[in-house]
Each structure stands twice: as C-alpha cells, then as structure tokens.
C-alpha cells in the first residue's frame, strides 16, 4: 500500500507552532471548509511536537453525544495503558501523568471517575482536568487540549447549553490560568459564525483558517505526484485545492475521465436535493424555531455564485443555513462572505442552475 505524504502546510504549521511557543492566552478555533485537511494538519503538528508537550486530543466525530454523561465519557479514556498503570498501582495523578506517553484522551483513574460523574456537574470534570494539567506542568511539560468536531455538543444541555460551561472552562485554562493550550477544530461554518458573534468569547479567542490548498500548493502537489501538464490543469480546474479530491485523483489512471465523473456525481446530488426541496419542501431549525425553506430563495442564493466565487451576505438566513447544513456552501464569518464548499461544488452549482 502506498502512503500519501503529508503535503505542505508550512504557513499553518508555523502559526500553530508560534502559538504553542508562547504561554496560553487565547482559545484557538481551527476552521475551514469540509475536507480541507484540518484534522490531518493537527495530527501532523502533533506528531512533530517535541516531548515537552503532552497532547490530549479528542475527536468527537465518532462519539455518540446525546447527553451530558456521553460528552464527559467521550473526554476521558480508560485505555489499556491507563488500565495497565492502574494495575501497577499507579493511583496518584503524578503517577498517572508519568504514564501518559503519547497523544490520547484524558486519562483518569476509577476513583476520579466517580468524582467526575458525581452530581452531573461539568464543574467536577473540569476541576479534575485542571488538577491533571497542573500535574503535567509540575512534571516540566506543557499540556495541550485539542477538541475536534466540537459542534457535535451543540445540543447537549446542562443548566443551559453545555457549550457555555465549556467555553468558560477554556477561558479559565488559557487567559486566566495560562495552564494549557486549547485548540478547537470544526468544519461547521455556522458553528464558527455563532462563536464569532458570541459576546462571551470576544477578545478571548483567535481564528485559524485551514483552507483548501491554494493554486501554487496544489500545483506543487501535482508535480510531486507526477501529473503531466494536461492533468494538472484538469485537476485544478475541476477540483481546485481540495486535498481529499486530489488524493482521489492519484488513485486512477484516467484523470480526465475521473474529474468529469466527479462533477457529474456532484451535480446530480445537488440537483436531487433541490428537486426534492421543490417537490416536498423542508423545515429546518433556525434560531430555535422551525422554518420552511423557500426553494426560490435557495436558488437566489446559489445564483449569486454564477459569476463570482465569493459573495457577501448581510446576515445568515434559513436558506443559507440549509445550504451550509447540506455541505454545499461554506460561510466565512470573519469576512461575511459565502462560497461553495469546493471548486467542484461551484462547478456543480453552476451546471445545476443551467438545467
Ligand atoms: N496536507 C495534506 N497532505 C496530503 N493529504 C492531505 C493533506 N491534508 C488533507 N489530506 C487528505 O485529505 C483528507 C481529508 O483531510 P481531513 O480529514 O484532515 O480534512 P478535515 O478538514 O479535517 O475534514 P472534515 O471537514 O471532515 O473535518 C485526508 O484523509 C488526506 O487524505
Ligand atoms: Mg476533521
């Protein structure tokens, strides 16, 4: 099996390393369109980090999060290493910390687990994590907490949404205690839009965009993979710099045929979605209420992308929400613009509008 080498993310890697080099002050939100390589970048940076960093990485993507307990469980890890440590009698936090060698969820002993789940209060879990991170610091290392796909906890409630409790905890870890670096990654641009406009986070976080490769980076990638000039042009024109598509193109011999097939599939997916909207209508939750999506408004939003790659929006409407939730459109809240999730989506939208 051929492994695909991690390709150039120098600028983003440098930015993350510069953040890690200084004492923690702000929460870092890593965002970008779907499949742009956020998780890949984070994993790459983690791999290259010196020993002095202890990374607690939690990816919520695969976790089932219906309740507060689910969330707390997803944070903690009673994995083999920890279990083995327990068997050897490593019961204190210092001993536990010394047994954490690689990236994992947050280790916990059975004794603390009872405490953390007691009373169903995030406060217990958070005070345990603070104790653990302090222990990491005492051992001369720097704790780094990374939560991937955080938007998944959006609906979990504990005296109001859990997310507020969590953000307060992150602010405490960074700006107040300077105890741990906190990175939050998400491909849900509506989630970032909400965060961006959230009063409690003003001046307490920074944003790091991990976008599809730009043209130079993509062309460089094609060169490294041995594409000829015709293939390079085709790949860029159809797929832009979306890493996941480029990797897919590597797999096949006839790249010309492949890009056309990819566009055909995407166009038919988007057409099907919109035809079904026209035929049956759809309600979505928007600002806490259910809204009927207006087909003509959706087409109007998409039509803005006929001539332009990017277009400005004044505010998020139910129709923009619908397009984002269906992974057709990406909103960039820092600039109040929207665009297709990828070059392929843009071409598919334009093709669909012509039908
Ligand atoms: N820098 C890179 N070099 C080589 N391949 C990459 C790179 N970044 C991403 N990829 C490829 O693209 C795929 C998708 O990347 P990844 O899962 O990191 O995207 P993501 O932005 O986290 O996606 P999601 O929006 O689903 O969270 C990876 O599995 C990998 O094959
Ligand atoms: Mg990801």
């Amino acid at each position: 099996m051929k492994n695909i080498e991690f390709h150039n993310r120098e600028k983003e890697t440098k930015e993350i390393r510069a953040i890690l080099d200084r004492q923690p002050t702000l929460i870092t939100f890593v965002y970008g369109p779907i499949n742009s390589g956020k998780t890949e970048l984070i994993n790459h940076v983690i791999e290259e980090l010196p020993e002095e960093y202890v990374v607690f990485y939690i990816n919520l993507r695969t976790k089932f999060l219906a309740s507060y307990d689910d969330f707390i469980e997803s944070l903690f890890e009673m994995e083999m290493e920890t279990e083995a440590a327990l068997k050897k009698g490593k019961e204190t936090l210092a001993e536990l910390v010394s047994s954490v060698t690689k990236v994992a969820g947050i280790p916990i002993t059975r004794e603390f687990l009872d405490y953390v789940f007691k009373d169903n209060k995030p406060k217990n879990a958070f005070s345990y994590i603070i104790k653990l991170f302090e222990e990491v610091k005492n051992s001369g290392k720097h704790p780094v907490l990374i939560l991937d796909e955080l938007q998944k906890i959006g609906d979990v409630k504990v005296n109001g949404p859990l997310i507020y409790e969590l953000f307060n905890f992150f602010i405490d870890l960074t700006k107040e205690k300077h105890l741990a670096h906190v990175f939050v990654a998400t491909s849900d641009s509506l989630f970032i839009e909400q965060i961006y406009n959230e009063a409690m986070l003003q001046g307490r976080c920074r944003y790091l965009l991990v976008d599809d490769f730009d043209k130079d980076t993509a062309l460089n990638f094609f060169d490294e993979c041995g594409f000829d000039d015709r293939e390079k042009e085709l790949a860029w024109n159809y797929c832009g710099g979306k890493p996941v598509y480029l990797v897919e193109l590597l797999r096949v011999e006839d790249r010309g045929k492949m890009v056309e097939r990819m566009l055909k599939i995407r166009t038919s997916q988007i057409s099907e979605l919109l035809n079904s909207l026209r035929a049956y209508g759809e309600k979505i939750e928007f600002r806490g209420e259910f809204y009927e999506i207006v087909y003509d408004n959706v087409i109007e939003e998409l039509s803005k992308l006929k001539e332009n790659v990017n277009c400005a929006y004044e505010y998020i409407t139910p129709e923009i929400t619908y397009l984002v939730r269906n992974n057709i459109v990406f909103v960039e809240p820092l600039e109040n613009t929207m665009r297709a999730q990828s070059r392929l989506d843009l071409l598919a939208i334009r093709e669909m509008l012509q039908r």
Side-chain angles (χ1 to χ4, degrees):
M1 197 167 64
K2 258 196 194 167
N3 271 342
I4 292 148
E5 295 252 324
F6 181 80
H7 187 68
N8 186 330
R9 280 290 189 190
E10 250 172 58
K11 188 176 129 272
E12 294 86 348
T13 307
K14 248 193 197 154
E15 223 172 315
I16 297 177
R17 290 300 297 267
I19 293 169
L20 289 170
D21 268 351
R22 297 179 166 257
Q23 78 163 1
T25 50
L26 303 174
I27 308 165
T28 307
F29 284 96
V30 178
Y31 75 110
I34 56 162
N35 277 321
S36 65
K38 298 172 286 297
T39 302
E40 197 84 3
L41 169 71
I42 288 169
N43 286 329
H44 179 76
V45 174
I46 293 174
E47 263 168 40
E48 310 257 293
L49 276 184
E51 293 273 302
E52 65 192 273
Y53 293 94
V54 180
V55 181
F56 302 94
Y57 174 79
I58 296 136
N59 193 338
L60 298 176
R61 164 155 293 173
T62 51
K63 315 275 174 152
F64 176 71
L65 300 179
S67 66
Y68 167 70
D69 276 5
D70 289 341
F71 170 68
I72 295 297
E73 249 171 59
S74 75
L75 290 182
F76 295 105
E77 204 135 284
M78 289 277 288
E79 276 211 319
M80 306 231 286
E81 271 169 272
T82 322
E83 297 246 17
L86 282 175
K87 277 195 197 118
K88 278 189 219 144
K90 291 190 175 173
E91 294 270 337
T92 68
L93 275 189
E95 284 166 340
L96 193 63
V97 163
S98 71
S99 70
V100 177
T101 49
K102 59 173 189 156
V103 193
I106 294 164
I108 188 162
T109 64
R110 279 204 189 88
E111 180 199 345
F112 280 113
L113 208 59
D114 290 341
Y115 165 73
V116 157
F117 279 98
K118 197 177 64 172
D119 318 326
N120 250 3
K121 285 207 183 103
K123 209 174 82 222
N124 295 7
F126 297 160
S127 66
Y128 168 76
I129 296 174
I130 286 175
K131 272 205 196 99
L132 183 81
F133 285 0
E134 277 167 352
E135 210 51 64
V136 171
K137 267 225 140 147
N138 290 342
S139 73
K141 298 187 173 181
H142 310 292
V144 180
L145 176 63
I146 306 178
L147 279 154
D148 208 342
E149 301 293 338
L150 185 69
Q151 78 282 350
K152 278 202 69 179
I153 70 157
D155 294 334
V156 179
K157 295 213 168 47
V158 191
N159 315 318
L162 173 62
I163 200 109
Y164 290 104
E165 307 264 356
L166 199 59
F167 284 152
N168 270 324
F169 172 54
F170 291 163
I171 293 168
D172 192 37
L173 282 178
T174 52
K175 193 176 81 86
E176 315 251 298
K177 292 199 167 62
H178 307 294
L179 180 58
H181 289 282
V182 177
F183 291 84
V184 172
T186 180
S187 49
D188 181 342
S189 51
L190 292 172
F191 180 70
I192 286 293
E193 199 267 344
Q194 277 167 10
I195 283 169
Y196 189 63
N197 293 308
E198 175 56 59
M200 78 179 284
L201 288 172
Q202 292 308 317
R204 290 160 174 172
C205 58
R206 63 169 79 82
Y207 299 90
L208 200 147
L209 174 67
V210 177
D211 212 338
D212 296 344
F213 294 147
D214 61 22
K215 191 166 182 184
D216 281 350
T217 312
L219 291 180
N220 200 282
F221 179 83
F222 303 145
D223 277 336
E224 276 175 18
C225 301
F227 284 33
D228 64 29
D229 284 348
R230 191 191 69 94
E231 289 175 324
K232 280 200 280 194
E233 200 183 313
L234 270 175
W236 175 255
N237 285 344
Y238 278 78
C239 300
K242 180 74 78 196
V244 78
Y245 293 155
L246 307 187
V247 169
E248 190 59 11
L249 286 182
L250 288 183
R251 202 175 53 77
V252 295
E253 298 254 309
D254 190 340
R255 289 171 183 143
K257 210 162 142 191
M258 182 66 174
V259 287
E260 291 203 357
R261 199 173 121 75
M262 285 161 93
L263 178 58
K264 208 168 147 196
I265 292 174
R266 196 63 190 126
T267 310
S268 87
Q269 284 172 337
I270 296 176
S271 301
E272 207 274 333
L273 184 83
L274 296 181
N275 287 339
S276 121
L277 172 69
R278 184 168 49 191
Y280 302 110
E282 189 166 331
K283 280 198 176 113
I284 63 162
E285 205 178 337
F286 178 78
R287 293 177 171 263
E289 299 201 12
F290 280 92
Y291 271 77
E292 186 76 45
I293 299 299
V294 180
Y295 173 83
D296 287 345
N297 292 353
V298 171
I299 296 295
E300 195 184 317
E301 289 300 343
L302 289 177
S303 300
K304 294 177 187 163
L305 298 171
K306 250 192 212 163
E307 309 273 304
N308 303 305
V309 173
N310 263 311
C311 64
Y313 66 83
E314 264 180 72
Y315 52 88
I316 302 288
T317 62
E319 282 73 24
I320 295 179
T321 306
Y322 170 84
L323 288 168
V324 175
R325 294 230 180 108
N326 282 291
N327 284 334
I328 298 170
V329 158
F330 165 72
V331 294
E332 166 53 286
L334 279 64
E335 291 170 9
N336 276 53
T337 57
M338 60 175 222
R339 55 176 148 116
Q341 284 279 6
S342 68
R343 169 93 191 146
L344 193 74
D345 282 284
L346 179 67
L347 297 181
I349 291 166
R350 288 177 178 171
E351 188 114 0
M352 182 275 303
L353 288 172
Q354 276 186 354
R355 286 185 176 181

